[in-house]
């Protein structure tokens, strides 16, 4: 199996998932920013660096996984890597906090212009953009009356989409339209990823109806912010 997170995600985008063998794979953090856990079907990938050091290029450098973390993963317990005991220990060793446990979805790009009349915005004060800029690079955002869609390079450099629909514009299919538009906006024919809080049922329905397919669950570990 691929030994880097980016390689693993590229494999998943091509339909080649990690083996459903009930094991946990540790890979190096792809960058100083990105750390977390992704659970696929019967196989979990941990991309966190408990020592606080990376290889020169962020790739495999011969380290062995933290034995204390391994001890918190009972053999055969498929839910353990995303349960509080393991995530709490991982946060303690990395000095980070769990952001959320999201549904991780994936969609192929679509050709041609998006079906909505979008206007690109450079206003970085929008709350959705402020949040995105903390976790993504190369962020671009477009608006329509009542909604915003953005894309940016997130975990391991993958293209990620996010959608925001204003309260007064909800219930009309705008979220689905913006999510589908994102598939037209991703450059270079690359796959597009999106994370959704499972409890946000409206957003889950919108992403699924726009052609995004669930591939796993993801818990990102974020740095503690001052103040």
């Amino acid at each position: 199996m691929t030994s880097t997170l980016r390689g693993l995600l590229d494999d998943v985008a091509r339909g080649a998932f990690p083996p459903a063998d009930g094991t946990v794979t540790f890979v190096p953090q792809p960058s100083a920013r990105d750390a977390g856990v992704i659970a696929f079907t019967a196989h979990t990938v941990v991309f966190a660096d408990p020592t606080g050091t990376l290889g020169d290029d962020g790739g495999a450098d011969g380290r062995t996984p933290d034995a204390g973390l391994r001890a918190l993963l009972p053999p055969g317990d498929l839910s353990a890597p995303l349960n509080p005991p393991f995530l709490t220990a991982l946060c303690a060793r990395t000095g980070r906090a769990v952001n959320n446990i999201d549904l991780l979805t994936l969609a192929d790009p679509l050709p041609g212009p998006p079906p909505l009349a979008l206007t690109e915005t450079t206003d970085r004060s929008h709350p959705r953009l402020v949040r995105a800029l903390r976790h993504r690079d190369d962020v671009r955002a477009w608006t329509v009356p009542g909604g915003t869609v953005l894309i940016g390079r997130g975990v391991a450099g993958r293209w990620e989409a996010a959608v925001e629909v204003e309260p007064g514009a909800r219930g009309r299919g705008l979220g689905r339209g913006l999510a589908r538009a994102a598939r037209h906006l991703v450059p270079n024919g690359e796959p597009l990823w999106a994370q959704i809080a499972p409890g946000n049922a409206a957003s889950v329905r919108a992403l699924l109806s726009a052609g995004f397919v669930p591939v796993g669950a993801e818990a990102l570990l974020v740095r503690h912010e001052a103040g």
Side-chain angles (χ1 to χ4, degrees):
M1 190 176 71
T2 306
S3 61
T4 66
L5 183 63
R6 181 55 191 257
L8 188 149
L9 293 174
D10 287 344
D11 287 346
V12 169
R14 290 191 293 268
F17 285 79
D21 55 8
T23 63
V24 178
T25 297
F26 284 74
V27 297
Q29 286 180 217
S31 70
R33 179 190 65 194
D34 299 328
V37 180
I38 302 178
F40 298 103
T41 300
H43 196 114
T44 301
V45 177
V46 178
F47 55 104
D49 178 20
T51 68
T53 59
L54 290 166
D56 291 341
D57 61 354
D61 61 2
R63 293 193 309 273
T64 58
D66 186 306
L69 291 175
R70 284 282 189 190
L72 294 174
L73 298 171
D77 187 348
L78 300 182
S79 65
L82 284 179
N83 276 347
F86 180 76
L87 291 178
T88 299
L90 188 59
C91 288
R93 284 164 170 77
T94 58
R96 296 176 179 238
V98 174
N99 192 3
N100 194 32
I101 298 179
D102 289 323
L103 175 67
L104 183 62
T105 67
L106 175 66
D108 291 328
L110 292 175
L116 297 178
L118 300 171
T119 300
E120 187 164 8
T121 177
T122 58
D123 178 11
R124 291 316 195 228
S125 65
H126 189 288
R128 171 62 79 171
L129 270 70
V130 171
R131 187 160 62 251
L133 288 166
R134 290 200 298 265
H135 305 292
R136 299 182 179 102
D137 302 312
D138 301 328
V139 175
R140 297 179 66 186
W142 295 261
T143 63
V144 294
T148 301
V149 58
L150 62 85
I151 62 172
R153 287 197 178 275
V155 174
R158 70 189 182 195
W159 283 105
E160 299 174 353
V163 169
E164 182 84 17
V165 177
E166 297 172 10
R170 293 172 185 168
R172 306 173 189 171
L174 181 57
R176 177 178 65 248
L178 290 168
R180 190 165 183 85
R183 299 177 60 192
H184 292 267
L185 297 169
V186 62
N188 304 321
E190 293 193 47
L192 185 61
W193 302 77
Q195 306 108 304
I196 317 105
N200 189 346
S203 290
V204 172
R205 290 194 298 269
L207 268 290
L208 297 182
S209 63
F212 285 79
V213 176
V215 294
E218 179 176 87
L220 295 183
L221 308 183
V222 297
R223 298 185 184 94
H224 293 288
E225 296 184 3

